[in-house]
């Protein structure tokens, strides 16, 4: 198919093609033989897609951390800190942000102009005494004269409709910053934003982590205590060392884990509609983050992320009005055989971090009627049949 004919297609079909090609590439992400992925614990579920994003041994290993840019314009317009962030391996998953909060300072109670800078997103050479990684991804925030320089990356894909996301991360640096890892569906009305959050405040005790289904305050500005859980990192660990933070956004309930240990479950206000993922390290001098002292810095560092998810709606997200199933959803219903052929686990039996383990192989079995094989009542459509259905549509 030529580019010209792709361009001529209706956007809904184009979305379906992009979705399909993405599904295939996700499937190929070190789990080519798996047709679905199972998570463990009380929020266990099955998912169609898997991504493992590994920043542990990025080559070439960078020699130095980029210097903080002290000029607002230059910080905003900064280029990527290395080729790594220009390569499609990165850009297919993340967009590095450079927005500032000048429009929302008043409404959000910020006291400091915050500027997201691509210069604060970089691969850092490890000086830790651990041979399992030589690099990691760093998001930096720094308080400077006149502004707070911050870091944010947003997922390109914004059609996650239920997800289990894991981040092997640590937070270091000065008080006054917030490290965030969360699902996000924007809305102009702050009361209609949907988020399932992991937040670590550097002003808080070193073992305190906060989990929230946003919004955490109502329209009158009162705190919704049911939306939030303040917890501690289990096993006397703290957030300055590496921990696996896991958020399971499931229908009707968000569940959080640290190093496989359950830490919170919140049903109240669980996000409903397809969303993206955001990771950030920021401060705005408001009452939530507090202030950072001038020239102080803080860092969110990530060795790897693993995400299993389903999708619905347009790949790059919906406006609130057209949330729902796109062309692929309709087509999926039209064709396909129920059943997930090869079930892989991303928790159970995993020996190599990020590599799903085979749990059940139902290939060659009758599509219906297998019981006690761990599939429950899951109705599944093999990806290749979905693809066939999409291409059969033309
Ligand atoms: C900002 O960038 C300009 C070039 O675009 C450069 O001349 C200037 O020195 C930079 N300022 C700072 C403070 O880095
Ligand atoms: C920042 O750099 C721009 C040019 O890149 C310059 O016009 C501006 O005056 C600088 N701002 C400050 C505060 O130095
Ligand atoms: C903040 O962002 C807006 C919109 O992109 C831009 O017009 C404005 O110049 C930025 N403010 C500063 C201080 O860079
Ligand atoms: C959680 O802790 C924060 C301070 O870090 C506090 O503002 C908030 O009220 C607490 N929430 C609950 C539900 O206890
Ligand atoms: C679930 O999997 C995690 C690893 O991802 C593990 O640490 C945890 O112990 C498992 N939970 C149970 C109940 O087996
Ligand atoms: C942060 O500092 C500003 C002054 O620079 C002050 O107005 C504001 O109240 C401070 N915020 C907090 C949360 O202390
Ligand atoms: C994991 O390791 C164990 C022990 O070495 C081995 O028996 C098992 O087959 C491995 N599982 C996978 C999925 O590789
Ligand atoms: C599943 O079983 C089929 C048929 O027995 C076999 O061809 C395939 O390689 C198996 N897949 C895996 C991942 O073991
Ligand atoms: C993901 O999609 C599969 C196939 O439609 C479905 O069986 C499964 O329950 C979905 N998972 C979640 C968490 O909704």
């Amino acid at each position: 198919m030529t580019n010209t004919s792709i361009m001529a297609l209706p956007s809904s079909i184009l979305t379906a093609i992009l979705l399909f090609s993405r599904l295939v590439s996700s499937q190929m992400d070190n789990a080519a033989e798996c047709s679905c992925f199972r998570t463990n614990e009380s929020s266990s579920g099955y998912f169609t897609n898997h991504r493992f994003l590994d920043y542990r041994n990025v080559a070439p290993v960078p020699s130095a951390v980029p210097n903080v840019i002290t000029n607002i314009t230059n910080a905003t317009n900064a280029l990527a800190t290395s080729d790594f962030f220009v390569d499609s391996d990165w850009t297919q998953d993340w967009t590095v942000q450079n927005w500032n909060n000048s429009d929302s300072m008043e409404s959000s109670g910020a006291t400091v102009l915050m500027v997201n800078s691509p210069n604060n997103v970089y691969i850092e050479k490890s000086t830790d005494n651990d041979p399992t990684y030589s690099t990691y991804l760093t998001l930096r925030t720094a308080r400077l004269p006149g502004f707070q320089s911050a870091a944010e990356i947003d997922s390109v894909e914004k059609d996650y409709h239920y997800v289990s996301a894991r981040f092997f991360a640590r937070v270091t640096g000065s008080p006054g910053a917030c490290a965030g890892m969360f699902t996000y569906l924007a809305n102009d009305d702050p009361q209609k934003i949907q988020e399932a959050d992991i937040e670590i405040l550097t002003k808080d005790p070193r073992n305190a982590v906060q989990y929230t289904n946003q919004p955490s305050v109502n329209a009158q500005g009162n705190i919704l205590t049911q939306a939030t859980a303040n917890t501690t990192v289990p096993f006397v660990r703290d957030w300055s060392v590496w921990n696996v933070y896991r958020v399971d956004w499931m229908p009707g309930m968000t569940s959080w884990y640290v190093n496989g240990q359950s830490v919170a479950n919140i049903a109240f206000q669980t996000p409903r509609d397809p969303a993206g993922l955001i990771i950030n390290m920021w401060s705005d001098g408001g009452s939530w983050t507090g202030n950072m002292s001038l020239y102080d810095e803080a860092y969110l560092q990530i060795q790897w992320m693993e995400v299993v998810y389903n999708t619905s709606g347009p790949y790059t997200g919906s406006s609130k009005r057209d949330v729902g199933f796109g062309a692929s959803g309709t087509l999926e219903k039209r064709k396909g055989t129920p059943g997930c052929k090869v079930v892989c686990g991303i928790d159970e039996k995993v020996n190599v971090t990020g590599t799903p383990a085979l749990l059940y192989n139902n290939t060659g079995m009758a599509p219906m009627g297998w019981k006690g094989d761990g599939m429950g009542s899951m109705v599944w459509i093999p990806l290749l049949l979905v693809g066939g259905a999409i291409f059969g549509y033309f």
Side-chain angles (χ1 to χ4, degrees):
M1 199 184 287
T2 67
N3 283 339
T4 324
S5 68
I6 284 182
M7 299 308 288
L9 291 170
S11 64
S12 61
I13 310 267
L14 197 51
T15 305
I17 293 171
L18 291 172
L19 186 65
F20 172 61
S21 55
R22 179 50 187 273
L23 285 175
V24 171
S25 68
S26 298
Q27 291 293 114
M28 297 303 170
D29 180 20
N30 83 16
E33 294 179 317
C34 305
S35 33
C36 69
F37 302 91
R38 185 163 86 180
T39 55
N40 74 350
E41 298 276 2
S42 63
S43 53
S44 171
Y46 293 89
F47 297 90
T48 57
N49 305 287
H50 172 257
R51 296 286 290 156
F52 182 65
L53 305 175
D54 194 350
Y55 308 111
R56 291 175 297 181
N57 290 293
V58 173
V61 175
S63 50
V65 164
N67 291 326
V68 172
I69 296 177
T70 57
N71 174 301
I72 293 176
T73 311
N74 293 15
T76 303
N77 299 332
L79 300 176
T81 53
S82 70
D83 288 348
F84 180 81
F85 299 98
V86 180
D87 195 279
S88 62
D89 279 353
W90 169 267
T91 58
Q92 70 177 328
D93 289 302
W94 300 107
T95 52
V96 179
Q97 300 297 302
N98 70 350
W99 57 270
N100 67 62
N101 68 345
S102 58
D103 285 349
S104 64
M105 273 185 75
E106 207 168 333
S107 61
S108 65
T111 63
V112 179
L113 174 70
M114 181 180 82
V115 176
N116 286 296
S117 174
N119 186 56
N120 292 327
V121 178
Y122 50 89
I123 298 295
E124 182 163 357
K125 178 183 182 176
S126 170
T127 55
D128 304 336
N129 188 19
D130 187 332
T132 62
Y133 57 99
S134 56
T135 57
Y136 41 78
L137 172 69
T138 298
L139 276 70
R140 171 178 63 192
T141 188
R143 179 66 192 269
L144 298 166
F147 75 113
Q148 178 85 30
S149 192
E152 177 172 306
I153 59 175
D154 294 8
S155 66
V156 175
E157 184 159 7
K158 294 184 170 62
D159 59 355
Y160 300 117
H161 204 192
Y162 307 117
V163 60
S164 177
R166 296 97 189 283
F167 307 91
F168 192 40
R170 72 180 174 195
V171 175
T172 62
S174 301
C178 177
M181 296 167 265
F182 52 102
T183 71
Y184 185 73
L185 176 62
N187 197 293
D188 289 339
D189 178 352
Q191 285 300 307
K192 291 185 178 156
I193 281 173
Q194 298 180 33
E195 292 184 40
D197 291 1
I198 300 168
E199 284 168 312
I200 295 170
L201 294 165
T202 56
K203 71 176 182 193
D204 272 355
R206 283 238 215 139
N207 64 353
V209 183
Q210 195 158 347
Y211 305 101
T212 308
N213 286 335
Q214 296 282 359
S216 58
V217 294
N218 67 15
Q220 290 71 46
N222 299 315
I223 289 175
L224 296 167
T225 48
Q226 322 91 289
T228 296
N230 286 334
T231 70
T232 54
V233 181
F235 306 125
V236 209
R237 291 172 68 83
D238 70 44
W239 40 251
S240 70
V241 299
W242 297 104
N243 294 304
V244 180
Y245 297 93
R246 165 177 168 191
V247 54
D248 282 11
W249 168 35
M250 296 292 282
M253 173 85 87
T254 311
S255 301
W256 291 267
Y257 303 83
V258 179
N259 304 325
Q261 188 84 0
S262 171
V263 287
N265 294 287
I266 300 177
F268 180 70
Q269 238 169 220
T270 300
R272 292 174 312 277
D273 300 311
L277 283 173
I278 293 183
I279 298 169
N280 59 15
M281 190 66 185
W282 62 283
S283 174
D284 64 2
S287 57
W288 169 248
T289 62
N291 280 312
M292 287 192 84
S293 299
L294 194 58
Y295 298 117
D296 272 7
E297 298 182 5
Y299 317 93
L300 168 59
Q301 297 173 329
I302 299 177
Q303 289 193 37
W304 53 258
M305 313 179 205
E306 186 167 28
V307 184
V308 286
Y309 58 98
N310 284 353
T311 61
S312 73
Y315 182 80
T316 53
S318 303
S319 66
K320 198 67 195 69
R321 232 170 284 117
D322 58 359
V323 161
F325 288 84
S328 64
T330 319
L331 289 160
E332 277 178 42
K333 281 183 205 130
R334 205 185 293 161
K335 282 190 184 178
T337 315
C340 171
K341 288 198 191 277
V342 181
V343 184
C344 294
I346 67 162
D347 295 302
E348 301 152 88
K349 298 195 178 166
V350 169
N351 288 347
V352 180
T353 300
T355 303
L358 178 66
L359 298 182
Y360 305 100
N361 187 348
N362 299 308
T363 308
M365 299 179 77
M368 296 289 234
W370 12 273
K371 293 219 162 43
D373 57 0
M375 281 303 298
S377 58
M378 180 177 180
V379 175
W380 176 270
I381 297 134
L383 288 173
L384 289 174
L385 287 183
V386 175
I390 289 169
F391 290 105
Y393 187 81
F394 299 126

